Amino acid sequence: MWAGQLLTVALLAAPNAFATLARPEAGAYVTRLFHWDARISMLVCVLLLLLEQRLQREATPGRLRFSAGLLLPALALFAVVGGHEVLQALMKDARGTPHFGLLHGLSMAAFAAKTLCALALAWVTTFSRSSASAWRA
């Protein structure tokens, strides 16, 4: 569901806002949209990290294994913090300057990385045998 939400924001909501609204209104709308997306993504990443830790502790007590279930949400969380929390603050100050385009591109790359992490996590948890058995338990 999280990956679907990210794809919906990136492929439908943001482009349609700029296609139908005046540029300043679309910018304000998309800024709020990405703000809420960042909050949702941070919550989902933390919950996924906690869930994976619990599943691993139940499977092998006393030992935490570094796996895709830990790596992908951690990378996505890093992309959220870097892409939204850091770059958005810089973008506000750079609005109207040549640096804005560069920062916007970096922000888009961070969003794409977060989306790829969410899609990869969905793929891994859906088709991995160990994950499937953990979810059935």
Side-chain angles (χ1 to χ4, degrees):
M1 285 178 43
W2 175 42
Q5 179 263 327
L6 294 171
L7 290 171
T8 301
V9 167
L11 300 176
L12 293 174
N16 283 327
F18 281 99
T20 58
L21 298 172
R23 192 169 185 88
E25 293 170 348
Y29 171 76
V30 170
T31 299
R32 286 186 51 98
L33 189 67
F34 283 116
H35 171 78
W36 281 105
D37 166 72
R39 297 296 174 252
I40 291 168
S41 293
M42 281 192 269
L43 177 66
V44 169
C45 287
V46 169
L47 289 175
L48 287 171
L49 286 168
L50 293 173
L51 179 64
E52 181 65 22
Q53 284 180 351
R54 181 173 182 204
L55 289 173
Q56 285 192 19
R57 283 191 187 120
E58 288 176 358
T60 55
R63 184 171 159 232
L64 192 62
R65 213 178 80 231
F66 194 70
S67 66
L70 286 175
L71 176 66
L72 292 170
L75 287 174
L77 185 60
F78 178 75
V80 172
V81 171
H84 183 74
E85 301 302 323
V86 174
L87 289 175
Q88 288 298 320
L90 294 173
M91 285 173 64
K92 283 181 186 177
D93 296 338
R95 189 149 295 169
T97 68
H99 291 83
F100 181 79
L102 173 66
L103 294 171
H104 189 269
L106 290 172
S107 180
M108 287 174 48
F111 188 87
K114 173 178 64 173
T115 304
L116 289 175
C117 286
L119 290 170
L121 186 63
W123 179 270
V124 167
T125 57
T126 301
F127 295 108
S128 140
R129 288 182 189 171
S130 62
S131 173
S133 63
W135 287 102
R136 278 188 239 133

